[in-house]
Amino acid sequence: MSQDKPKAYVNTIGCQMNVYDSQILAGLLQNAGYEQTHDPDLADLVLCNTCAIRHKAQEKAYSFLGRFAGTRIKGDRPLTIMAGCVAQKEKEKAFIRLPHLDLVLGTQAFGRFETHLNALAAGETRIVDTGPSENIFEGFPKDAPINPLPGKQVSRFVTIMQGCENFCTYCVVPYVRGKEKSRDPFAIVEEIKGLAASGVREITLLGQNVNSYAGNNGKVCFADLLHLVSRVDGIERIRFATSHPKDLSQDLIQAMKDIGKVCNHLHLPVQSGSDEVLKRMNRKYDRDTYFTRISALRQACPDIALSTDIIVGFPGESVSDFQQTMNLLETVEFDAVFAFSYSARSFTPAAKFSDQLDEQTKRDRLNELLDFQEKITEKKNKAFVGKKVTVLVEGDSPKPRDGFVKKNKNTRQMFGRSDANKIVHFATDKAAIGDLVTLEIINAYPHSLWGEVCESD
Ligand code: SAH
Ligand code: SF4
Ligand code: F3S
């Protein structure tokens, strides 16, 4: 580490795709001579990779970047960059609240990031690039991403698609991420080979709707891609997100059954249990179709863990619509539910619907749903007690849990994720990050499990 290098701080808000994008931006910053710092106050350059999905996420970006305006008076203000989805959405408007911004870098402008860094170094300021890109993947590294960012090293994300054209009526993504584009399967496999060589054991393939992947001019579908990735030596586990229920094909279900490395977990956002609401959301499936897909999945992969996303308080959601969502949760019994209160977003049709619900109603419904689901999640977790699961060890547990006994001076408490995506904590004096360890589940909590290492391990 050189003392002379300028320091960059990268803050990531938003989804897994943003985490991946931040790795690329951090790699490009490293190429430009920056080293990463964990302290934004020491940084010569501050970049926030932003998310526009809900009002709160957007506000978080504005408030974080706003912190770097004040030091301007002293003349030692860091270069301040807004990147990603809010940048793409706001364009020049970002300067109204953040006049000190030096660069507004849209989601398709990463390939021009280095050029803009050079322009900033030459004294240019207030650059806005939210233009399109011929090849959205051009800013991606040719081999494994350099990724100077801290984070999990055994489990990594790999983006396989950009954009979305589904235009769900509540969602800003199609307006900030552009058209759906599939990345070249060869480039994906090459990147994963590089990651495997550097010690990565688990890959999560990312896209807004991975089921509609159509690589190599439509010749390679998502099920084909899973087969290709599963042949990479060193990769033990494959996950993916997100799947759209309307595109969950029998081919994919079969691939999930056939490929041992594909984890026994599917995230399948349903959004609502009411046909009326699903129609106004433009989700293109109904409640029965969702149930049919879940049955097909459970038939092929009996113990599959399921998770979903729910929006409560969509415009016009009646008490009975909401009850149908609760009923769907009761019927499916998801392992995990990510629930959000509806947030009106610019450009989207639903923001203009006349029957918006008040904030209190939305909050009450969200809390009722979360309380209800917590009991289901706990029940699902309890069903693991007495069973054996294999976890991929990710690191040391952040704090000691019940059940932790220090048997000798080397005993540490570590955690890993099971095939079904459950976090399991355990005590060990042997395991290392990246190991696959078989545990017997002793105890279950709402958000995690406690296991003991099986003797044979
Ligand atoms: N492509 C994925 C999800 C992307 S956004 C899919 O189709 O499922 C992640 C989640 O944010 C969505 O599943 C949805 O539940 C939630 N979300 C999107 N727009 C929202 C909005 N305007 N208000 C509240 N939640 C929203
Ligand atoms: Fe948004 Fe719908 Fe596309 Fe998902 S599928 S990103 S919810 S528009
Ligand atoms: Fe947010 Fe953009 Fe992802 S809006 S959810 S960071 S695609």
Side-chain angles (χ1 to χ4, degrees), residues 56 80 130 141 155 157 178 240 285 314 364 379 402 412 441:
K56 235 191 214 158
T80 310
T130 53
S155 176
F157 300 134
F240 53 87
Y285 55 85
F314 185 76
D364 290 349
K379 177 179 151 196
D402 306 344
R412 344 162 26 189
I441 303 303

Side-chain angles (χ1 to χ4, degrees), residues 229-279:
V229 173
S230 72
R231 287 185 209 124
V232 177
D233 287 338
I235 297 298
E236 310 278 357
R237 287 181 164 184
I238 305 167
R239 302 184 188 276
F240 53 87
T242 298
S243 302
H244 195 301
K246 79 176 165 59
D247 299 316
L248 181 66
S249 65
Q250 202 53 44
D251 274 3
L252 177 57
I253 294 176
Q254 193 61 40
M256 291 183 73
K257 184 180 173 182
D258 293 344
I259 306 172
K261 288 182 180 180
V262 173
C263 288
N264 207 20
H265 167 232
L266 188 71
H267 183 61
L268 195 64
V270 64
Q271 312 298 358
S272 169
S274 151
D275 281 344
E276 196 43 51
V277 172
L278 286 171
K279 202 183 283 166

Side-chain angles (χ1 to χ4, degrees), residues 53-54 164 168 170-173 207-209 242-244 269 271 283 309-311 338 340-345:
I53 200 85
R54 286 170 289 274
C164 182
C168 303
Y170 51 81
C171 185
V172 77
V173 171
Q208 292 298 351
N209 182 10
T242 298
S243 302
H244 195 301
Q271 312 298 358
R283 288 292 286 181
D309 290 347
I310 300 279
I311 297 178
F338 303 89
F340 310 100
S341 171
Y342 169 74
S343 170
R345 310 309 293 131

